[in-house]
Amino acid sequence: MRKLTAGDKLVLATHNPGKYRENADLLAPYGLEVLSAGDLGLPEPEETGSTFEENALLKARAACSATGLAAIADDSGIAVPALNGQPGIHTARWAGPERDFMVAMERVHSELGGSGDRRGIFVCNLSVVWPDGETASFEGRLEGELVWPPRGDRGFGFDPMFQPKGFDITFAEMDPARKHAMSHRALAFAQLSEALLDGR
């Protein structure tokens, strides 16, 4: 499998500022020139895949095709076992057209009702596509409890509702550096780093 090396230019295929910031921070130590699909004005492809990996590859391929550069895409969401894995790949859609995650969190809380199983699993798939069509995918998962009401004002998405296993604070209450070190995105990135960045 080929490597990404210092000086390489690549596109982070996201229009989500929170995801861009987290992924750019993770890539920062490697000397890569990281561009954002949002900043480049690339259109957002329709996410028609049925898995996190399919959607990540779809987004990475679109950015790679539009720019001629290697592209990394992140598809992530929260899977709730008591809701048969929903919202899963539809996590952003549950937030509605305005991407209001308070709406999404309220829906999850409402649909859980009196369920004693309030587990939530954050899933992140990071996929890389090169201009010649080569691809690589890596997936991280982190389990926690879905608390109510939401707590904290850091992070984004479901962070105020997600209390990682073994902790008594939510991601949105946690110091960002601590969250970044243990998140589902960090777990996926650790695999990507080992495979593509020489594990530095």
Side-chain angles (χ1 to χ4, degrees):
M1 189 178 294
R2 74 176 66 186
K3 304 287 185 181
L4 293 168
T5 58
D8 284 354
K9 185 183 291 190
L10 68 149
V11 181
L12 278 179
T14 183
H15 292 70
N16 180 317
K19 282 188 179 183
Y20 173 75
R21 191 164 49 251
E22 284 196 15
N23 283 313
D25 286 349
L26 288 166
L27 288 165
Y30 299 95
L32 301 165
E33 185 177 345
V34 182
L35 308 172
S36 158
D39 290 344
L40 292 173
L42 303 182
E44 287 190 80
E46 187 178 353
E47 295 179 23
T48 55
S50 59
T51 66
F52 290 107
E53 182 179 359
E54 287 176 6
N55 282 330
L57 283 169
L58 186 153
K59 290 185 280 190
R61 285 192 179 105
C64 179
S65 176
T67 63
L69 300 171
I72 297 180
D74 162 337
D75 197 57
S76 56
I78 193 156
V80 182
L83 301 181
N84 298 314
Q86 292 295 314
I89 61 169
H90 303 298
T91 296
R93 293 177 208 174
W94 278 37
E98 301 302 317
R99 298 282 174 98
D100 183 346
F101 277 92
M102 191 63 209
V103 170
M105 289 187 285
E106 286 174 344
R107 180 175 171 186
V108 166
H109 175 65
S110 174
E111 294 201 12
L112 278 172
S115 170
D117 182 359
R118 294 190 64 88
R119 286 176 300 144
I121 303 167
F122 263 140
V123 182
C124 172
N125 184 284
L126 284 175
S127 289
V128 186
V129 173
W130 284 269
D132 66 0
E134 185 176 338
T135 67
S137 294
F138 310 91
E139 192 159 281
R141 292 171 171 262
L142 185 70
E143 188 170 319
E145 180 183 358
L146 300 174
V147 302
W148 197 261
R151 304 193 313 259
D153 57 6
R154 295 170 166 175
F156 62 98
F158 274 82
D159 286 357
M161 193 180 185
F162 184 82
Q163 182 173 293
K165 194 172 183 178
F167 288 80
D168 58 5
I169 59 174
T170 68
F171 263 174
E173 295 175 300
M174 193 176 287
D175 178 83
R178 190 179 195 186
K179 175 202 164 182
H180 292 172
M182 63 176 289
S183 73
H184 53 309
R185 193 162 288 112
L187 294 171
F189 184 82
Q191 297 172 46
L192 182 150
S193 172
E194 185 173 354
L196 305 184
L197 299 166
D198 298 319
R200 288 175 294 171

